[in-house]
Amino acid sequence: MEKIIKTDSGIEIKELYCEPIKMDELPGQFPFTRGVHAAMYRDRLWTMRQYAGFSTAEESNKRYHFLLSQGVSGLSVAFDLPTQIGYDSDHPMAEGEVGKVGVAIDSLQDMELLFKDIKLSDISTSMTINSTAFILLALYISLAKKQGADIKKISGTIQNDILKEYAARGTYIYPPVPSMRLITDIFEYCSKEVPKWNTISISGYHIREAGSNAVQELAFTLANGKAYLEAAIAKGLDINVFAQRLSFFFNAHNNIFEEVAKFRAARRMWATITKNLGATDPRAQMLRFHTQTGGSTLTAQQPKNNIVRVALQGLSAVLGGTQSLHTNGYDEALSLPTEEAASIALRTQQIIAYESGATDTVDPLAGSYYVESLTNDTEAAAWKLIEKIDAMGGAVKAIEHHFMQDEIARSAYAYNKAIEDKSKVIVGVNKFTSAEMSKPPGFKIDDSIRLQQSEKLAKLRAERNNVKASACLANIKRIALTTENLMPAVIEAVENLCTLGEIADTLRDIWGEFKG
């Protein structure tokens, strides 16, 4: 009896692929299956980012300077949980979480410390922030202005993808309708004032981390992207303008070929989606994406095995044509990454770039019977899921009906069951185990950070012009009740030292909180 092998997405893998698939596409041309640029890495390598942020702005700034000294070409900021869900560090809801999973940012003063001696005009910064993305963007723009930068030239990305928060991750504040309003306000403002800024990074990463398979990650991410396009078009924005500044954020897992197929299919599908919604400019049809290696694939058992996993995952992203890459530290299943782990992760990217040969030619796996077939199969399976979502009325409706959440939960259950019954091998976990567990030194954050941040906040509120700050918050409240763009008012507020929590609470008072 022939052995049946399937990917985690359920796509059956043949024993042998012998049928050639016609390949008349070229890189840099619609539908961009083979890459968004004609010469890809022969002209320019991907941006090498390392996701970092912890404790206070001062401590994170030290790590950024270390990473820049090691050769990173772009920064990627992690924010703590209170910052992500709109609470200042001295709020009761912030207790026990300040500085733990990222850096605490309460005000423009913190933003200045975070980027001390780093010129925002000289770097590209990615910020993993969603429900409070509009506030963090306002802080970044305000700091750039203080540094004397031309904001029309600063570059970077805010994640700003609230739909995947409802579906997979949970750091939402407001209900879907006002949340989508904030996102389209950012699209509109940046298309005019900060034209080089990527206004959204539509994220499959967290969908995959929540337990989806590769096909679900692809389908749900593109369905969310389609919803953002439709919301912006409904607001009267030109798809040929705003769609150029949309980017994507994908996960990379261990099956190199499945991941490469996913990335190639994603470009082709997005080109079709944007074209069908009226995009005629090729730059508005291109899917550009950042990749992070799979956090959920890291194991606490035999943690140095993770170095190999990260290398395989990083290679899949490069072979799949990523524009930006973060490689995880091998110790992240146990703690925040140490400097040593962060350095090894960066060196992994540099070895792929300069020693592997993967960058010598464009789309090196193109024409492989297997990869081309798997690309087609992955695309076909993802379209089937998108058709189901469209039939429900789109991504927002699918989330409201818990379709995405239930699909992800079923996939996560099946994956973990396969590990438990050993039909899926995880080296060092359910096979090739060892009695001793080597544990690298952890990197922990203590609770004194909250006290430090609270003292800074008390000083800020005592010394700022509170009459002006109150007027700024009242203006945000007034504009939130109209269709006027909120971004100029939020920028004015942070420049007058209104805090992140004060701005978020002003809108909580009007829009309420989403209860899920």
Side-chain angles (χ1 to χ4, degrees):
M1 185 176 176
E2 184 182 347
K3 185 178 181 181
I4 296 175
I5 295 176
K6 293 183 178 181
T7 69
D8 291 335
S9 301
I11 295 171
E12 188 170 338
I13 305 301
K14 299 176 185 177
E15 183 175 316
L16 185 64
Y17 289 80
C18 295
E19 297 175 9
I21 294 174
K22 186 180 179 184
M23 275 297 299
D24 54 6
E25 295 178 19
L26 291 175
Q29 296 181 14
F30 184 92
F32 310 106
T33 311
R34 302 193 62 191
V36 292
H37 302 300
M40 287 301 289
Y41 307 133
R42 286 172 70 101
D43 273 354
R44 180 185 174 188
L45 292 174
W46 63 92
T47 301
M48 297 184 192
R49 299 188 189 276
Q50 284 307 111
Y51 189 44
F54 55 88
S55 183
T56 61
E58 296 95 326
E59 289 301 312
S60 291
N61 176 264
K62 292 176 186 176
R63 177 64 65 90
Y64 294 156
H65 280 286
F66 168 75
L67 291 170
L68 289 167
S69 74
Q70 296 298 300
V72 299
S73 47
L75 296 177
S76 187
V77 184
F79 297 97
D80 73 357
L81 194 57
T83 303
Q84 291 181 47
I85 55 178
Y87 293 118
D88 288 332
S89 296
D90 58 357
H91 193 284
M93 289 291 287
E95 187 173 354
E97 292 293 343
V98 176
K100 290 292 178 69
V101 298
V103 62
I105 297 294
D106 295 318
S107 70
L108 184 58
Q109 291 180 352
D110 283 335
M111 207 68 162
E112 290 182 74
L113 292 169
L114 186 66
F115 292 102
K116 184 180 179 183
D117 298 326
I118 298 172
K119 290 187 177 180
L120 302 191
S121 57
D122 295 344
I123 60 164
S124 167
T125 303
S126 174
M127 295 189 283
T128 302
I129 195 72
N130 296 282
S131 57
T132 55
F134 67 107
I135 306 173
L136 271 299
L137 177 60
L139 289 165
Y140 195 89
I141 290 170
S142 299
L143 178 57
K145 288 162 67 176
K146 282 194 77 171
Q147 289 185 351
D150 181 350
I151 65 168
K152 290 190 182 297
K153 294 180 180 178
I154 61 171
S155 65
T157 304
I158 42 172
Q159 193 163 102
N160 197 29
D161 176 9
I162 202 65
L163 291 180
K164 69 94 174 51
E165 296 295 328
Y166 300 124
R169 191 162 174 265
T171 63
Y172 45 73
I173 302 173
Y174 313 113
V177 172
S179 292
M180 292 293 278
R181 181 257 178 96
L182 287 171
I183 288 167
T184 54
D185 277 3
I186 290 170
F187 288 174
E188 181 180 53
Y189 177 81
C190 288
S191 66
K192 298 171 184 174
E193 305 297 333
V194 199
K196 292 191 174 183
W197 194 267
N198 296 323
T199 51
I200 193 168
S201 177
I202 304 159
S203 176
Y205 184 85
H206 302 96
I207 290 170
R208 192 70 171 277
E209 290 293 284
S212 81
N213 58 46
V215 166
Q216 290 170 334
E217 178 193 358
L218 175 57
F220 297 162
T221 305
L222 296 189
N224 288 346
K226 186 178 178 182
Y228 293 127
L229 291 176
E230 291 170 341
I233 290 167
K235 193 179 176 74
L237 303 183
D238 183 350
I239 191 171
N240 282 310
V241 176
F242 76 82
Q244 293 187 33
R245 303 319 306 173
L246 273 57
S247 66
F248 286 79
F249 175 23
F250 286 115
N251 210 310
H253 275 221
N254 292 327
N255 187 323
I256 288 180
F257 301 105
E258 183 177 32
E259 296 304 298
V260 170
K262 178 188 74 181
F263 299 136
R264 298 173 89 248
R267 281 192 292 270
R268 191 155 69 201
M269 294 173 73
W270 186 245
T272 301
I273 289 168
T274 52
K275 185 178 181 180
N276 289 344
L277 287 173
T280 54
D281 189 323
R283 292 169 298 178
Q285 299 168 336
M286 293 177 182
L287 182 146
R288 297 164 298 115
F289 68 99
H290 169 70
T291 311
Q292 182 173 340
T293 55
S296 62
T297 69
L298 301 177
T299 64
Q301 301 93 328
Q302 301 178 20
K304 289 187 178 178
N305 292 347
N306 295 327
I307 297 172
V308 181
R309 293 186 178 102
V310 168
L312 291 172
Q313 294 164 8
L315 180 60
S316 77
V318 171
L319 293 173
T322 193
Q323 276 64 67
S324 172
L325 178 61
H326 163 83
T327 35
N328 290 328
Y330 72 88
D331 54 359
E332 288 188 58
L334 297 162
S335 69
L336 289 168
T338 58
E339 277 197 3
E340 179 199 42
S343 182
I344 290 171
L346 176 59
R347 293 290 180 258
T348 300
Q349 290 200 51
Q350 292 164 339
I351 289 167
I352 292 170
Y354 295 103
E355 298 185 29
S356 73
T359 62
D360 293 346
T361 190
V362 180
D363 194 18
L365 295 184
S368 156
Y369 299 163
Y370 177 36
V371 170
E372 295 297 348
S373 179
L374 192 54
T375 299
N376 292 343
D377 290 345
T378 300
E379 179 183 6
W383 279 126
K384 285 182 181 178
L385 277 175
I386 290 175
E387 286 165 8
K388 287 184 180 180
I389 291 167
D390 286 345
M392 295 177 193
V396 175
K397 291 293 184 185
I399 290 166
E400 288 175 347
H401 289 116
H402 275 251
F403 172 72
M404 292 187 191
Q405 297 94 312
D406 290 347
E407 288 288 307
I408 293 167
R410 274 193 287 271
S411 176
Y413 175 78
Y415 184 85
N416 282 289
K417 187 173 183 297
I419 294 173
E420 287 177 8
D421 66 25
K422 299 187 179 181
S423 59
K424 183 172 188 64
V425 172
I426 305 296
V427 173
V429 175
N430 62 1
K431 197 168 185 178
F432 312 114
T433 58
S434 57
E436 290 186 18
M437 182 174 167
S438 65
K439 191 173 180 180
F443 181 51
K444 302 291 184 184
I445 303 300
D446 67 64
D447 290 324
S448 67
I449 302 304
R450 183 168 187 249
L451 178 61
Q452 293 177 41
Q453 286 296 111
S454 297
E455 289 172 350
K456 284 198 290 185
L457 279 165
K459 188 171 187 289
L460 176 145
R461 293 186 182 116
E463 295 178 353
R464 73 184 177 184
N465 184 332
N466 282 298
V467 173
K468 184 66 175 174
S470 296
C472 289
L473 294 173
N475 191 39
I476 289 173
K477 188 171 187 177
R478 177 189 66 79
I479 292 172
L481 296 169
T482 71
T483 58
E484 189 179 337
N485 195 300
L486 271 162
M487 282 305 297
V490 176
I491 291 170
E492 181 185 27
V494 301
E495 288 175 343
N496 282 280
L497 300 181
C498 292
T499 69
L500 175 135
E502 290 168 344
I503 295 168
D505 281 346
T506 297
L507 296 177
R508 272 191 184 93
D509 291 343
I510 301 168
W511 294 334
E513 292 186 336
F514 184 67
K515 301 302 181 185

